[in-house]
Amino acid sequence: MSKAESQNVLYRSLEELEDTPEFQEFLTREFPEGAENAPDGMTRRRWVQLMGASAVLAGVSGCRFENRKITPYAFRPEDRVPGETRTFATTIEWAGNVRPLFVTSYDARPIKADGSPIHPATAMIRKDGSATRLGASDAITQACVLDLYDPDRSRGCLEKVDRDYVERSWDDFAAAAASLGFQGDGAGVVVLAEPTTSRTVSGLKKKMLSSMPAAQWFEYAPINSDNEVAGLKAAFGKSLRPHYDLSKAEVVVCLDADPLVDHPDALKIARGWSKSRVPDDAVEEHRQISRLYSVESQFTVTGANADHRWPVKSSHIAAFASSLKEKVVAANKAGKPVEVSGSAAEKRMAILANELMFGISGTGNSHGRCVVLAGASQPAAVHQLVAFINEAIGSTLVEYTEIEESSSSLQSIGQAVEAIRAGAKALLIIGGNPVYDAPADLGFESAIEGVAHKVHFSMSRNETTDRCDWHLNQAHPMEVWSDSVAYDGSHCLGQPMIAPLFDAKSTAELLSLLLGGTGEGSELVRSAFASLDDSAWSQLVHDGFVSGSAAKPVKLQGAKEPAKPSMAWGAEDDRIEVVFRTGNLYDGRLANNGWMQEVPDSVTKVTWDNPAVMNPKTAKAIGAKQNEKVKIEVGGRTIEAPVFIQPGQADNSISIAIGYGRKKVGYIGGSIEKKIDPVGVDVGPLRNSAGWNIVEDAKPDGTGSRHRLSSTQDHHVIDVTGKKAIGDRYNQLIFEGTFDHFEHFAEDHHLFSGHDEKGHDENGHDEHGHDEHGHDEHGHDEHGHDEHGHDEHHHWPGYKHLHFDNIDPIPRSWKYSEDYKWGMTIDLTRCTGCSACVVACQAENNIAVVGKDEVARGRELHWMRIDRYLSANSTYANSGRILDDPEPRVRTQPVTCHHCENAPCEQVCPVAATVHSNEGLNDMVYNRCIGTRYCGNNCPYKVRRFNYLNYSDATTFVKYPWADKLSQDDLGLKGLANNPEVTIRSRGVMEKCTYCVQRIQNGKIGAKAAGRELGSNEITTACQDCCPTEAIQFGNLADPDARVAKASGDVRSYIMLEELNIGQRTRYLAKVTNPNKDWPVFVLKDGEKAESSYGKVFEAPHHAQPAKKQDHEEEAKKEVSKA
Amino acid sequence: MSVTVDQLNDNTIEDPSTRAPLVLGGLDYKGVTDTVSDVAYGAAPPKAWFVVLGISALLMGMLFGCVGHLIMTGVGVWGNNNPVFWGWPIVNFVFWVGIGHAGTLISAILFLLRQNWRTSINRAAEAMTIFAVVCAGLFPGVHIGRVWSFYWLFPIPTEHLAMWPNFRSPLLWDVFAVSTYATVSLLFWYMGMVPDIATFRDRAKNKIQKIAYSVLSLGWTGSARHWHRYEMAYVILAALATPLVLSVHTIVSFDFAVSQVPGWHTTIFPPYFVAGAIFSGFAMVVTLMVPARELFGLKNLITDRHLENMNKIIMATGLMVGCAYGIEFFIAWYGGNPYEQFAFINRAFGPYYWAYWTMVSCNVLVPQLFWFKKCRTNPWIMVAICIFVNIGMWFERFVITITSLSRDFLPSSWAYFTPTPVDIMMLVGSFGLFFTLFTLFCRFLPMVAISEVKGVMPHDDHELEGAEAH
């Protein structure tokens, strides 16, 4: 307090100032007036009353409501109903992709992101022209909200002063920018940015480069499609982008590609592909369902869905493509199929070329409905070959649009490092994490050491931030205005869903600040769309994109034929390659996202790790064992990674996901500082500019040191007894059959009216030995009922369950609602096993992440899981050499609560915590549950999940004071991602899929409030919403118009474990495959290569009667011995 | 008459001409009273008693430490996982409930069947029952996810719970079965002890003992009226307890049999569980009695004949259990349900084959040694066999609970169960609790039913005549 102030007169009240006699008396009096003397006439009774009341009230004064600060809405904003969710259209650039979204926001905080149902990239339009409620999305989109509320996000700008970080404001940075070197002509300034499609950013970049002409700007993304662009440029001389429409496909050949998941346009491709697989449509349209061939080293989702998967080393794909091209050219020239002869590999190649050229039937014309796709990691030459083949076969499934010229990422970062070494004074890194992911040979980390001023703009502090002096806080794309160009070229807009949580800015705002402006994000973006008038602008904000702005395909002709690759197809090659693939964590930026860490890999089912995947043969050769580490050396640099043995990987090929092994990311992904071990292995040391995606000459060596992988399936190696049982059960769990068989069935049962029998001859049915008595083989009597009383008319490929004559559905004494009967169907033909639904369910239902150790214990909480079964060729399976099969098949099956009408879980719960609703929901009453876990034991599907520990960090009865790893503030931040409609479960409580009961209730309430009937397909579940192939249908079985009711009445529908007679409400639709009967199979016997026909060994599994099966085995064995 | 069996001091010889004596060493009524009450009032207890009590108390402390940790952290401290929702706690529960069968069987069923040899061992066996039920009760109590809400299992008419528990659930039947069994067994044990506690009261040397035993003896004076009512009550309680011996493990077996898990869903479970329970319970009685009679000088009361009789029962029940194992496999094959078939093949040849064959060796093969009299009467051999039986019976529950759960319908959900250190510490700790209670019982309560033993001792002719005259 200053002197001047102390001289002021202080007073507490006016009375004190006046100093009246009353005031004096008040001061001297000990007790207030009237309290000094006992009131007159106080009786004993009265005294007791008063004392009693005082005692009671004294207790009351101890009760107090918890103090909470609230900000009441004195005036409710327009259109705002508190507690009601609202959905906004926006578009974000996230994990290398432009994602048009519909974001659900609860009280102004975004809680769920789904694909936009109006943007062509994500919209799901059905055959009848109706659209889905929300668009398709993938796991990464579903998980992006979690990053928004990541407690490890940066809380503000920082400056490193003497090795310590000091908090700074944006104003501090603006003031310091000039002294950091961002001034004048920009001499010595190097900017390394993540590529963006934003017009706003590129406008500002141009502005910056014009005001600082000496500054240098480089763009780098570790995952990119540069090879594809380069390949197409070599073929057509332009920068192009391919667009695939597989909805009319007949034959699709993927060369080391995973277009169903790992592709910027994967949602659209998957949607199209699944359309081409729907057998009903195919039969009605007199065409085959598409046939998918996958030639790849590692098992991808696409490979798992392929009708034939051919494991080939990634480094051999170029030679493969070249050989395929030659065959295609030959067939093209001859105008007829080339001869299928020679070794199995030669036969296969000829088959591929013939089918690409002449379609599945091999005789007619493919009408351009065939296409070849190559993976982004393949070199440019392969993409050029693919473009050449697609032109040669006249493919109409691929179109190209022109894109802007840009230099490749690898080239660009090389130049950036050169510029830095040449004496850069100021380095601005916009986003990304080059210290972690730049090519190892560039020595990025050491290169930037000499730069005087290094500024890193990022969402959280990462490895790169640690090497910089300034950290600037980048906003989550949902927090700021932005614009972008989607894969199809349409112009998209991102509007903020929430104000930046921690004083963060967008890239555009940062650049504007450096240019001396104070531009608000909204103004900057608006000015980039200056050509739009206000109404067009507001339409853009409303829709999230400018409709009809997609790029127009260009007409191209005369793809240049590439030079022959140095390696010839089929050459012996004992070198071991390492293939780097994009896993769940993308380039590593999702490492702190628990959902992405915990969602199992589609094929290996491994979580929280990036094992070196190899096949049993390779593992044996290098002395590697499951759950042990292997040392991999490339050019003197080594890493040690855990081994995962995956039959089906190409020989001498190791694949390993990138993005793991982060040393500084946070509580989830690992942080040296916080003493949290990195998750997985950083493969960075093995990747250099020359061998970026594929290293051809790696030297792996088993180390023998243990490393336990956490997988959600097959936690342990399965023994012989178990394997046999899996083999026996497999066909009862997943029903599948070939398209040929389905077509015959449809024909025989007149499933599709208007179906013209004559049209079939050209498809060559009669060749398959189907005659008019074909039924009898399947045990039908003339009424179409089998011995178990099932009406075979309605079931394809026929029942395989255990049926007993004396068991009939239990007559139920209780009545179900006649209005609502909730049910679900999952179409295994459409499902690709991409896992988006798993994450969507997690986001919708506040499902906690349990962590690596708990997954290893088998305690993951996912309400929806995707079961994966591998099956070997029967020759191997029956000779006990399952693992020797080089080409196992993969089948995936999403499993979630079946909401059994006669639920086994309900009967055994002693406290009635799981009960049935009259609408058929198997409800879980969390606050009645005491956790006896009996329900879990009795559930045949094992879909019940138990909170063994306090995974959600919820309030609970007692816990150790150190039980919560995060502070209360951080827990609060994390909690913002939660859906307020769904209870948070604490430890000791069972949980499981509810069919998204909160959505059902909201739907019903909404309809009731509006005084209308609930729409037939109005209510959707989270898994259904996101599914890119519409494999999941949910709704009211009692409503004949509901899609779920139609699907469950489909001929392909079946109930898994129906023999348990528990009235399951979830049904599956059998899988239809389209194998090529002539596809030769490699059969290895005692190290020899032999071959036999696919059709003879595998036969269509649906009529694999035991006796017949043995015949096939005999035949296969004979063939083997002959060879 | 030549040498009597009594003179040989071996009452295991079968001599049809004479009834084998149940009390040896020429003890008279006073001698019996002295022998039993000397345990409490004689010289200081043997050093071994202190050693056993010390170790047991430490283990008990470890058990309660684990329970505390469990309540603070959650049931995730155990090895249970998603298919194996029930792990060792339930295995231990069923194991201890089984142990708790012998006492009431000996006291009630053998009483009703007029098996006089029960009198020397019934008290200790009943005590063992009570303590085993205490151990058993602990596990389901703490095994639930929200321990603090355990009382929701009881049909308490409160607004807070708003509804009754689910009477269709076998777990609820369990609650009733075990609590009824515990209550009746406790009453039976305590009531039977009243005259003997009065004896202790009369011999008490210090005030604390005097007061404690006075309170516990409920003013027993030994009047004819007291005896009359005591005998009546004893018969009634014995009759009440008898069906409970059969019901409790029957209902525990329903926990498994009522579910639809392959390997659990079996109608043979109730008799099979009861036989197994008696098997393990008797084995535990023998395991306890042999050292106890040695330590406290009770060899004249708990004679070789007693032990031999129990061993015969062990062998008989062991054969029943073995038969049940066989029938399970037969039915699995004969029933034609592939899931059931797999469950049993998996038990014997799957990843838990070691547990299965441990079970079979301990429960079926080892008790065959009791065909030899030498094995039935040699304390060292019989204790060794009984310990094997109890190991085998623990594994039986392990095999049923864990192997069935680890692989049921969907192969995708199969998993292997691995116990954690807490699992192991709690199993060991439960033995600590059991032995702590039992060692304290040996020292402070009448280990042998003094009054009942006297009732089956040979009387002199005069008395016999008098008795027959009635």
Side-chain angles (χ1 to χ4, degrees), chain A residues 712-713 715-716 718-719 721-722 725-726 729 732-733 802 857-860 865 867 869 895 904 906-912 926-934 936-942 944-946 948-950 956-960 987-990 1056-1057 1059-1060 1062, chain B residues 69-86 143-146 148-149 152-153 161 163-166 168-172 254-256 258-261 264 337-339 342 345-346 349-351 405 407-416 418 420:
Chain A
T712 58
Q713 218 179 309
H715 289 266
H716 291 76
I718 305 284
D719 56 299
T721 314
I726 297 174
R729 270 178 215 184
Q732 289 173 20
L733 304 177
L802 308 162
R857 275 233 171 256
R859 293 172 178 171
E860 63 277 359
R865 61 167 199 263
D867 285 352
Y869 297 99
V895 181
E906 290 170 15
Q907 189 208 317
V908 297
C909 174
V911 291
Y926 300 124
N927 44 4
R928 274 194 77 84
C929 177
I930 60 171
T932 66
R933 310 193 287 289
Y934 200 171
N937 287 340
N938 214 23
C939 173
Y941 302 101
K942 289 288 170 282
R944 290 186 154 261
R945 297 285 178 252
F946 188 67
Y948 280 99
L949 299 169
N950 198 14
T956 180
F957 183 66
V958 278
K959 57 182 170 187
Y960 288 125
R987 71 179 159 103
V989 173
M990 192 60 85
M1056 178 165 54
L1057 299 178
E1059 64 270 23
L1060 296 177
I1062 46 183
Chain B
H69 178 55
L70 172 85
I71 294 173
M72 294 299 275
T73 316
V75 289
V77 298
W78 293 323
N80 302 33
N81 56 30
N82 269 350
V84 188
F85 287 99
W86 286 354
H143 126 281
I144 60 173
R146 300 204 289 164
W148 48 96
S149 302
W152 293 8
L153 284 165
L161 291 178
M163 59 189 272
W164 296 113
N166 178 11
R168 293 197 299 162
S169 168
L171 277 190
L172 194 71
F254 285 169
D255 286 351
F256 302 99
V258 168
S259 81
Q260 62 168 357
V261 179
W264 282 14
N337 180 339
Y339 296 109
F342 171 72
I345 290 169
N346 185 47
F349 306 109
L405 285 178
R407 290 184 162 185
D408 69 343
F409 296 98
L410 296 194
S412 62
S413 296
W414 290 357
Y416 193 83
T418 317
T420 62

Side-chain angles (χ1 to χ4, degrees), chain A residues 859-1088:
Chain A
R859 293 172 178 171
E860 63 277 359
L861 282 180
H862 293 144
W863 288 2
M864 177 159 229
R865 61 167 199 263
I866 298 189
D867 285 352
R868 177 270 284 131
Y869 297 99
L870 292 162
S871 66
N873 178 313
S874 56
T875 318
Y876 293 99
N878 295 323
S879 59
R881 299 188 304 144
I882 292 175
L883 291 179
D884 288 348
D885 186 352
E887 301 181 341
R889 291 187 307 176
V890 168
R891 289 292 176 263
T892 53
Q893 181 180 37
V895 181
T896 186
C897 178
H898 280 52
H899 292 265
C900 314
E901 292 181 2
N902 195 18
C905 51
E906 290 170 15
Q907 189 208 317
V908 297
C909 174
V911 291
T914 181
V915 286
H916 227 72
S917 84
N918 69 340
E919 293 169 6
L921 295 180
N922 168 229
D923 289 330
M924 186 67 220
V925 191
Y926 300 124
N927 44 4
R928 274 194 77 84
C929 177
I930 60 171
T932 66
R933 310 193 287 289
Y934 200 171
C935 52
N937 287 340
N938 214 23
C939 173
Y941 302 101
K942 289 288 170 282
V943 290
R944 290 186 154 261
R945 297 285 178 252
F946 188 67
N947 287 272
Y948 280 99
L949 299 169
N950 198 14
Y951 302 121
S952 63
D953 288 324
T955 320
T956 180
F957 183 66
V958 278
K959 57 182 170 187
Y960 288 125
W962 57 87
D964 293 333
K965 283 202 180 112
L966 295 176
S967 70
Q968 280 307 311
D969 283 354
D970 285 351
L971 283 177
L973 175 64
K974 205 179 89 176
L976 290 179
N978 287 334
N979 181 356
E981 303 270 354
V982 181
T983 316
I984 308 291
R985 285 80 58 184
S986 77
R987 71 179 159 103
V989 173
M990 192 60 85
E991 59 184 72
K992 59 148 201 105
C993 158
T994 61
Y995 271 173
C996 286
V997 65
Q998 66 280 4
R999 292 178 171 220
I1000 296 175
Q1001 295 306 334
N1002 280 342
K1004 278 163 60 186
I1005 291 167
K1008 197 175 176 185
R1012 60 178 170 83
E1013 292 268 301
L1014 187 68
S1016 293
N1017 299 301
E1018 193 177 332
I1019 296 173
T1020 56
T1021 59
C1023 51
Q1024 175 188 11
D1025 274 345
C1026 73
C1027 182
T1029 60
E1030 259 204 291
I1032 301 173
Q1033 293 294 354
F1034 171 81
N1036 185 1
L1037 294 170
D1039 179 349
D1041 296 333
R1043 267 185 288 273
V1044 69
K1046 286 179 188 150
S1048 73
D1050 192 280
V1051 285
R1052 289 189 289 127
S1053 90
Y1054 73 95
I1055 295 173
M1056 178 165 54
L1057 299 178
E1058 191 184 17
E1059 64 270 23
L1060 296 177
N1061 195 19
I1062 46 183
Q1064 297 90 329
R1065 283 280 176 92
T1066 297
R1067 282 168 168 266
Y1068 292 93
L1069 266 61
K1071 188 174 180 74
V1072 183
T1073 57
N1074 194 12
N1076 183 341
K1077 281 181 193 284
D1078 303 323
W1079 186 252
V1081 164
F1082 298 120
V1083 175
L1084 285 100
K1085 180 126 187 170
D1086 305 329
E1088 290 172 9

Side-chain angles (χ1 to χ4, degrees), chain A residues 91-94 96-100 119 193-206 217 219 221 225 241 264 403-404 406 482-494 507-508 525 528-529:
Chain A
T91 305
I92 62 169
E93 266 189 295
W94 185 250
N97 229 342
V98 174
R99 296 163 195 268
H119 191 283
E194 280 185 294
T196 170
T197 58
S198 167
R199 288 206 256 172
T200 317
V201 172
S202 63
L204 286 161
K205 167 187 155 188
K206 269 180 209 141
W217 183 291
E219 285 178 0
S225 46
R241 171 183 283 174
I403 54 167
E404 241 176 79
S406 62
S482 64
D483 70 304
S484 49
V485 179
Y487 190 81
D488 67 354
S490 60
H491 298 294
C492 302
L493 181 91
T507 309
V525 175
F529 287 93

Side-chain angles (χ1 to χ4, degrees), chain A residues 339-347 1091:
Chain A
E339 198 193 341
V340 179
S341 63
S343 70
E346 283 163 1
K347 279 184 188 165
E1091 55 180 279

Side-chain angles (χ1 to χ4, degrees), chain A residues 55-77:
Chain A
V56 169
L57 290 172
V60 169
S61 70
C63 306
R64 201 171 282 171
F65 288 106
E66 200 184 327
N67 275 326
R68 283 195 191 151
K69 284 178 193 155
I70 56 163
T71 317
Y73 280 129
F75 301 98
R76 183 162 65 87

